Amino acid sequence: QKEVEQDPGPLSVPEGAIVSLNCTYSNSAFQYFMWYRQYSRKGPELLMYTYSSGNKEDGRFTAQVDKSSKYISLFIRDSQPSDSATYLCAMMDGSGNTGKLIFGQGTTLQVKP
Amino acid sequence: EPEVTQTPSHQVTQMGQEVILRCVPISNHLYFYWYRQILGQKVEFLVSFYNNEISEKSEIFDDQFSVERPDGSNFTLKIRSTKLEDSAMYFCASKTGTGGNIQYFGAGTRLSVL
């Protein structure tokens, strides 16, 4: 079983739609959860950071972590064409000693005008 | 806004040649990382570096790879004898040492081994 699984998509939605992206994981030691956005041939850019379980909201973005189900989600409200990118989930264990991030495959999102 | 800077943006080399990829992390950061992303695949951890030594490395990071912080600002990844399968995007990242867990990534160096 892969440590982090993420449906690669592609996911295509009309402008204004609510987008739901998610990842599952197997390592119960993961405590820190991030969502990065990556444009083609660019570096990952941090969108959301969550520690342990719960929700976090930032503008049109909401991140949810359900540690009991080993499942994390990113919701994008009122999606825009500029949101078209690849979204990567990333996780780190609770020791945090080295900060090694384990990434999902990434989901490619296209928002059509 | 401070950022991680990587050079060159694209490096083309012949198989068997040595390459050095360069990174300037954010100035007050203490932890440094290299990741790799083969085209169409996930971002993979290579190595972490703290206090002038490797703190963790993956099985990908074999004897052909080395890292160095030659001065107070640069962080380099050297591949001694490149293979075709080393072709990938290489990302440098850094984070603070004071309770911070957010890693900031550079734009990457695309390495093409011919």
Side-chain angles (χ1 to χ4, degrees), chain A residues 11-47:
Chain A
L11 180 62
S12 181
V13 301
E15 183 175 354
I18 296 174
V19 175
S20 172
L21 306 169
N22 52 74
C23 290
T24 58
Y25 62 94
S26 59
N27 188 346
S28 57
F30 287 145
Q31 295 280 354
Y32 301 93
F33 304 91
M34 297 97 177
W35 286 96
Y36 284 85
R37 178 173 61 195
Q38 186 179 28
Y39 293 110
S40 182
R41 297 189 181 275
K42 300 293 185 185
E45 170 197 10
L46 183 71
L47 274 179

Side-chain angles (χ1 to χ4, degrees), chain B residues 16-69:
Chain B
Q17 294 297 303
E18 175 183 285
V19 294
I20 298 176
L21 310 183
R22 303 181 190 280
C23 170
V24 179
I26 295 173
S27 63
N28 62 340
H29 286 189
L30 300 178
Y31 291 81
F32 313 111
Y33 305 86
W34 284 101
Y35 292 84
R36 172 181 90 171
Q37 186 176 32
I38 294 171
L39 187 63
Q41 298 187 23
K42 61 172 63 177
V43 176
E44 300 174 288
F45 169 79
L46 290 178
V47 66
S48 59
F49 191 86
Y50 171 71
N51 199 26
N52 280 321
E53 60 182 24
I54 291 173
S55 46
E56 186 173 357
K57 60 183 180 179
S58 73
E59 59 188 28
I60 301 169
F61 194 89
D62 61 22
D63 292 344
Q64 293 300 311
F65 291 87
S66 62
V67 289
E68 190 179 32
R69 189 153 162 84

Side-chain angles (χ1 to χ4, degrees), chain A residues 46-87:
Chain A
L46 183 71
L47 274 179
M48 300 288 282
Y49 166 75
T50 311
Y51 171 67
S52 194
S53 283
N55 294 356
K56 186 173 183 178
E57 188 174 321
D58 184 2
R60 297 185 294 111
F61 298 90
T62 300
Q64 289 185 351
V65 175
D66 181 350
K67 289 189 66 185
S68 63
S69 302
K70 296 190 178 70
Y71 187 90
I72 70 169
S73 301
L74 177 72
F75 298 95
I76 307 173
R77 289 182 299 280
D78 187 25
S79 55
Q80 302 294 309
S82 58
D83 295 327
S84 298
T86 297
Y87 290 80

